[in-house]
Amino acid sequence: MQTFSLPKTSSKPIPALGIGGMPFSRPGRDLDESISIIHFGLNHGMTLLNTADVYAPSAEEMGHNEKLMGEALRQWDGDQSKVIVVTKNGITRSKDQWNRNGSKEYLLRAAEKSNKELGMVPDLLLHHRIDQSRSFTEQAQAMLAVLNAGLTKKIGFSNIKQSEYEIAQQETHGQVSAVENERSPRYRSDVEVLESCTKDQIAYLAWSPLGGENDAKNLGTLYPEFKEVARDLEVTAQQVALAWLRTHSNVLVPIPGFTKIKTAESTIASADLTLSNDQIALLNSSKPGNGSVYPS
Ligand SMILES: NC(=O)c1ccc[n+]([C@@H]2O[C@H](COP(=O)([O-])OP(=O)(O)OC[C@H]3O[C@@H](n4cnc5c(N)ncnc54)[C@H](OP(=O)(O)O)[C@@H]3O)[C@@H](O)[C@H]2O)c1
């Protein structure tokens, strides 16, 4: 798979596509099977692992996905030094209650736990979602404290707007090294942050790039333009969507989730797809879906 260079994000090569880890922590999933699917992705050049402390089958198992990703990487017989590990902190869980905590004390503690679960210092640690009970300035400063404590190589933010991007860059003295925001055929209103990341040449990780589990299955029906281009190229609408996203910016990396070798294969093959200008224009003209998969 092709890679490119974004030194502000990582000294490691950035792959065209990353592995979205969330579905591997659904209740009842077989850990060994998940590890073999992660290895399949890594073997084919998907050398960016996206995880979060909150990806877990239950509140008691916070850190489940980080542990799985760390274990998968240690068991992999490829060049582990080239793999970019991205995790996120700031969402809390207890029983069925999901909440946020963006305080410095909490984010430092959560980052220490993430290091422990992963068994390594992550390449990128992102603030997951804004804690509305405190100022964003305070949360940006807290992330700088996490970086200065040596708990991550670089920091970034997820689910932020342009105004927050600007505060984050200012409060961290320009040390925001990646953003992870939603972008897919369904959701593409995040234009300004993508432009800022492109201007600053830092990675923009596009989450739920197929619109999440439900949209992913029906992508060609929901967005007929994707089906039309897929028919012309003799590929699938999902492959067209992944290739199309990558035309939006030279810093954009889709991080699809997959739980089967078959979908992993199809995803990997999408990295070689080239779309014509007419095809891109047709896809851009399609109507987006109905809001975010996981609204704030
Ligand atoms: N930062 C955040 O707040 C945030 C929020 C949500 C998600 N994320 C990240 O984004 C990642 C991806 O999001 P997601 O898993 O919700 O949604 P997604 O990637 O949009 O969709 C996942 C679905 O797409 C299917 N799929 C993947 N590749 C395919 C292909 N080539 N052809 C056909 N189907 C394909 C998968 O099928 P199978 O399972 O059957 O293989 C799965 O059902 C997550 O894993 C997580 O790492 C981050």
Side-chain angles (χ1 to χ4, degrees), residues 20-23 50 55 88 128-129 158-159 180 207-213 216 238 255-260 263 266-267 294:
M22 191 167 72
N50 186 271
Y55 299 163
K88 301 180 283 295
H128 202 155
R129 275 193 193 255
S158 186
N159 301 299
E180 183 175 318
W207 65 254
S208 292
L210 300 175
E213 204 185 343
Q238 291 84 353
I255 47 165
F258 44 80
T259 54
K260 299 179 189 76
T263 35
S266 152
T267 298
Y294 301 103

Side-chain angles (χ1 to χ4, degrees), residues 65-75 117-120:
N65 201 269
E66 295 176 316
K67 201 174 193 152
L68 174 71
M69 288 297 198
E71 193 52 41
L73 189 52
R74 274 185 294 282
Q75 287 182 23
E117 299 291 6
L118 287 164
M120 68 188 79

Side-chain angles (χ1 to χ4, degrees), residues 4 23 39 53 60 90 100 107 137 155 183 188 216 223 271 281 296:
F4 57 105
H39 285 176
D53 58 358
E60 292 71 36
R100 317 264 168 90
L107 289 176
T137 300
I155 50 169
R183 195 168 187 86
R188 27 187 138 134
Y223 310 98
S296 283

Side-chain angles (χ1 to χ4, degrees), residues 72-138:
L73 189 52
R74 274 185 294 282
Q75 287 182 23
W76 186 50
D77 58 11
D79 185 352
Q80 295 175 17
S81 70
K82 294 229 169 81
V83 178
I84 298 172
V85 176
V86 186
T87 193
K88 301 180 283 295
N89 297 146
I91 299 182
T92 61
R93 281 175 78 176
S94 60
K95 292 222 167 80
D96 294 331
Q97 280 291 105
W98 292 64
N99 223 314
R100 317 264 168 90
N101 193 336
S103 71
K104 184 165 120 186
E105 294 68 30
Y106 177 78
L107 289 176
L108 281 166
R109 214 169 51 238
E112 273 170 22
K113 182 159 183 291
S114 287
N115 277 233
K116 208 161 132 206
E117 299 291 6
L118 287 164
M120 68 188 79
V121 176
D123 294 278
L124 272 163
L125 196 146
L126 314 183
H127 181 288
H128 202 155
R129 275 193 193 255
I130 294 167
D131 172 356
Q132 302 292 358
S133 73
R134 59 191 85 237
S135 77
F136 186 68
T137 300
E138 179 189 339

Side-chain angles (χ1 to χ4, degrees), residues 262-281:
K262 195 166 161 254
T263 35
E265 268 172 345
S266 152
T267 298
I268 290 155
S270 79
D272 294 327
L273 265 188
T274 307
L275 302 171
S276 70
N277 288 340
D278 285 351
Q279 286 166 334
I280 294 168

